[in-house]
Amino acid sequence: QQQVKQSPQSLIVQKGGISIINCAYENTAFDYFPWYQQFPGKGPALLIAIRPDVSEKKEGRFTISFNKSAKQFSLHIMDSQPGDSATYFCAASMGSGNTGKLIFGQGTTLQVKP
Amino acid sequence: GAVVSQHPSRVICKSGTSVKIECRSLDFQATTMFWYRQFPKQSLMLMATSNEGSKATYEQGVEKDKFLINHASLTLSTLTVTSAHPEDSSFYICSARPLTGTGYTFGSGTRLTVV
């Protein structure tokens, strides 16, 4: 029940296309859902995060869509660029991001082809 | 924005020796810091949660005597890998949660190689 399942494992997108990564969770006590971007040899960096009281959040080319009833959330990267090539992790925690530990998805390796 | 500094970024040690990794929150106070381990092409696995001034809470399967965690101040946590063996070779990442505000900030990671 603590798991966060992420798909796909890998994704190849053409430059300018839309990259979509999906995550699903079971624990309804989760109330903070961040997405992280990680480049090889670096720590994860926060991209965008959402709480379950909203269905969508947009920051620049990155959008989170949240479906509370389905217990799913997804990351959309619009106008994907080669510089977006990285590994993306979804995560979830309890306590609105103030308490609790982050539970990570399995990760998605994105490759954006020029 | 919040910055977490992790040192060293890379370390090579001989089997049987101990290695200390530092995690510092540079511009905020962190009551809670987290230590993760990441194998190549895998996700982050939480090893332990450390709270300033108290004993760390270890995840199931993580040997507390092997991975010693100290969180002596609101800006510093250390992970010591004791009697390291080649199977301890991995990428170790710390994360800090601020005293006020939300979110988790990650360090840049430490690549440990035990030879």
Side-chain angles (χ1 to χ4, degrees):
Chain A
Q1 201 182 21
Q2 285 287 78
Q3 283 187 328
V4 177
K5 295 183 179 180
Q6 183 172 346
S7 62
Q9 186 176 359
S10 62
L11 182 61
I12 300 174
V13 172
Q14 290 294 130
K15 178 182 176 182
I18 302 173
S19 304
I20 301 174
I21 305 170
N22 301 297
C23 282
Y25 64 97
E26 288 295 324
N27 191 343
T28 55
F30 287 145
D31 60 3
Y32 177 70
F33 303 90
W35 283 91
Y36 289 88
Q37 178 188 59
Q38 185 181 31
F39 292 103
K42 301 294 183 184
L46 178 66
L47 270 179
I48 187 172
I50 198 168
R51 290 192 169 80
D53 52 344
V54 297
S55 60
E56 186 175 281
K57 184 175 180 180
K58 183 177 180 180
E59 287 184 3
R61 295 185 294 110
F62 301 95
T63 300
I64 298 180
S65 296
F66 188 84
N67 186 328
K68 188 174 181 178
S69 61
K71 292 184 284 187
Q72 296 175 347
F73 59 109
S74 60
L75 176 69
H76 295 232
I77 305 174
M78 312 300 286
D79 187 26
S80 298
Q81 300 296 312
D84 296 331
S85 298
T87 300
Y88 293 82
F89 292 96
C90 63
S93 74
M94 293 178 274
S96 300
N98 295 320
T99 61
K101 55 191 178 185
L102 279 174
I103 307 298
F104 280 88
Q106 294 82 359
T108 297
T109 301
L110 171 65
Q111 181 184 357
V112 181
K113 290 193 170 183
Chain B
V3 177
V4 172
S5 174
Q6 188 173 339
H7 290 281
S9 59
R10 289 178 176 272
V11 59
I12 301 173
C13 71
K14 290 185 177 181
S15 186
T17 62
S18 296
V19 174
K20 180 184 283 188
I21 302 169
E22 288 190 350
C23 180
R24 293 180 184 272
S25 57
L26 296 186
D27 50 1
F28 66 98
Q29 292 182 321
T31 50
T32 305
M33 289 188 176
F34 304 87
W35 287 95
Y36 295 84
R37 184 174 182 175
Q38 186 178 34
F39 290 107
K41 300 188 184 302
Q42 292 191 22
S43 187
L44 286 78
M45 183 190 78
L46 180 66
M47 299 174 66
T49 302
S50 74
N51 291 295
E52 184 263 339
S54 61
K55 289 184 178 180
T57 302
Y58 290 81
E59 295 298 304
Q60 191 174 8
V62 177
E63 299 176 61
K64 59 181 67 177
D65 293 332
K66 181 164 192 61
F67 299 100
L68 300 179
I69 292 171
N70 184 278
H71 192 163
S73 77
L74 286 173
T75 59
L76 174 65
S77 177
T78 60
L79 168 67
T80 301
V81 183
T82 62
S83 186
H85 289 97
E87 55 266 31
D88 298 325
S89 298
S90 189
F91 193 53
Y92 293 87
I93 310 171
C94 70
S95 172
R97 189 170 61 214
L99 186 61
T100 58
T102 60
Y104 307 76
T105 302
F106 286 81
S108 54
T110 297
R111 174 72 60 194
L112 170 62
T113 302
V114 184
V115 297

